[in-house]
Amino acid sequence: ALVNPRRPGSAYPNPDLCGVAVAFKLAEALARHDPACLPAGFAEEVLDLVALGLVADQMPLVGENRTLVHRGLQRLGAGATRRPGLDALLGLAGLDRSFPVTAANLAYQVAPRLNACGRVGDPDTALRLLLTDDGVEAAALAQQAERDNRSRRVMDQQVKEEAVAQAEPFVARGDPGLVLAAPGWHKGVIGISASRLVEQYGRPAVLIKVEGDEARGSARSVPGVDIKAVLDRCAPLLVRWGGHAQAAGMTLLSEDVDRFRDLFLAALADERLRSRLRTEQALSYAPSVDYMPLTADQAHFAMFADATRDRSVELAESFLDVLPGLSEVTEVDLAPLRRTMLAGFEDAKAIRP
C-alpha cells in the first residue's frame, strides 16, 4: 500500500501532512481496524511528537494540522507527556513548564536542537533523546544536542560570512537570485545559511557544497517564488532534486555549477514573471500601513493578507502564533505588525487579542 496524501487521485482533504503525521494517521487507521494492535491510548500519547514534527517540518498550521498541533501542545502544557528527553530540551531552552508551550517554542527553541544532531552530529542522539525513559540519559543526550547546536551555529556563521563575500558581485550586478558554491561548507548547515541570505538580500538563494565530482545544494526562496518549479526548469543539469515552494535540495556535477547558475537565473526570471500577478493579488488585500517589517517577516505579512482575503480566522491565527518566535529570533518587536494585521482584519473580534 502507498500511503501518501499527495498521491495523484487522492481524495484525502489534507495534502500537507509531514512524515510523522502520515505515520500517525496510519496508526489511527490500524487501531480502528484492530484496536488490539497498539497499546491503549497510544494515539493520544504520541500527539506531542506529532506536534513537534509538524512544527519542525514547517507545515502549514491550518485545518487538521492546526488541530493536531493544538492537541499536542495541550499535552506538553499539561505535563501529560512522559518524555524525559523533551523535558530536558525544554529546560535547556529556558522554557518554564509553568507556562504553556507554544508552536513558536517548538519551532525556534526545541526543533533546532534536535535538527542539529542530524546536521552536524549523530542523528541517533535525537532518536534516543525522544525515546529514552531514563532521566539521567535524557539529560546527557540533551547536553549533546546542545553542543551540536552550538557547533551548528558556528558553522552556520562561517558559511554565511563566506557566502556573503561571494554574493556581493552578483548582488551588485543585479542578479535576481544567488547561486554560490564552495568545497569547505558543511552540507548540514547550507540550508540554514541559505535562509539567512534570503533574509539579508531578499532574493532566492542556493548554496552548494562541492565534493569531488559531485555537488550538493540547498535552496531557499522568497514569498511568491516557487523554488521547486524553478529547479524543475533546470532539470537538464540536475542529477537529483526535490522539495517544495520555499525550500528544496539538489545534486549536480561539480563541473556544471556555473552553467547551473545561468540556467537557474533564467528559470527564476520566468517564475517571477509567472508569480508576479499572484503576489500582487495577495498583497492587494493587506492593509495600507507605514510600518514595514523586515524581509524575513514580509512572508508572514503576505500570507496574512491571503487569510484576510479568504476570511479565514483560523489561518490568520496560525500566523499570529508565529510572531512571538520571530520577534525572539530577529530581535525586532513585531507587536506593531500584529496590531496592524488585526486592524486590517474585519473579523478581528474573532481572533484573540
Side-chain angles (χ1 to χ4, degrees), residues 18-308:
C18 63
V20 67
V22 171
F24 176 77
K25 300 302 292 185
L26 176 60
E28 273 193 328
L30 289 172
R32 282 195 300 269
H33 178 70
D34 179 9
C37 73
L38 292 171
F42 175 83
E44 285 295 320
E45 290 177 1
V46 298
L47 280 170
D48 53 345
L49 297 181
V50 176
L52 177 59
L54 282 165
V55 172
D57 274 347
Q58 301 179 336
M59 307 309 294
L61 300 188
V62 296
E64 182 181 29
N65 288 353
R66 182 173 175 80
T67 299
L68 290 171
V69 170
H70 177 70
R71 290 169 63 192
L73 290 175
Q74 282 184 319
R75 285 191 63 81
L76 284 170
T81 181
R82 295 290 183 268
R83 301 189 200 285
L86 270 183
D87 284 337
L89 281 178
L90 291 168
L92 281 176
L95 298 175
D96 188 336
R97 295 302 299 278
S98 62
F99 292 92
V101 178
T102 67
N105 293 147
L106 296 183
Y108 297 107
Q109 292 163 286
V110 177
R113 289 172 167 84
L114 284 172
N115 286 339
C117 300
R119 293 183 186 279
V120 303
D122 183 356
D124 191 52
T125 300
L127 177 62
R128 291 165 56 204
L129 187 56
L130 294 177
L131 293 179
T132 185
D133 292 322
D134 185 287
V136 175
E137 182 185 25
L141 291 169
Q143 288 292 343
Q144 181 59 55
E146 181 73 6
R147 289 191 292 271
D148 288 341
N149 195 42
R150 289 174 182 167
S151 298
R152 188 270 305 167
R153 288 177 178 174
V154 172
M155 294 178 188
D156 174 34
Q157 184 61 29
Q158 178 185 354
V159 171
K160 183 195 171 184
E161 290 175 357
E162 294 179 7
V164 165
Q166 273 197 43
E168 291 303 328
F170 298 113
V171 172
R173 77 181 189 184
D175 284 7
L178 298 170
V179 176
L180 312 171
W185 293 345
H186 195 293
K187 63 184 179 183
V189 302
I190 55 176
I192 302 170
S193 301
S195 295
R196 301 200 187 285
L197 262 66
V198 171
E199 294 175 5
Q200 180 164 337
Y201 294 113
R203 66 198 70 190
V206 181
L207 295 191
I208 298 172
K209 174 180 173 57
V210 178
E211 298 179 282
D213 294 334
E214 192 173 73
R216 296 184 180 183
S218 188
R220 297 293 184 271
S221 194
V222 294
V225 177
D226 187 335
I227 201 70
K228 169 63 165 54
V230 174
L231 291 182
D232 288 343
R233 297 185 180 97
C234 300
L237 292 179
L238 298 178
V239 178
R240 292 180 297 276
W241 74 99
H244 53 81
Q246 292 299 297
M250 79 291 300
T251 300
L252 65 158
L253 298 179
S254 299
E255 63 185 25
D256 287 336
V257 169
D258 290 336
R259 287 203 299 154
F260 169 72
R261 179 183 294 109
D262 294 338
L263 185 57
F264 177 84
L265 293 176
L268 178 59
D270 182 52
E271 173 60 20
R272 279 186 177 276
L273 186 62
R274 293 170 183 263
S275 67
R276 186 172 300 155
L277 183 59
R278 299 195 303 267
T279 304
E280 289 176 354
Q281 182 182 19
L283 289 173
S284 69
Y285 290 93
S288 177
V289 293
D290 293 331
Y291 173 83
M292 284 302 293
L294 296 178
T295 300
D297 308 314
Q298 288 172 348
H300 291 86
F301 192 73
M303 288 187 284
F304 189 90
D306 277 332
T308 305

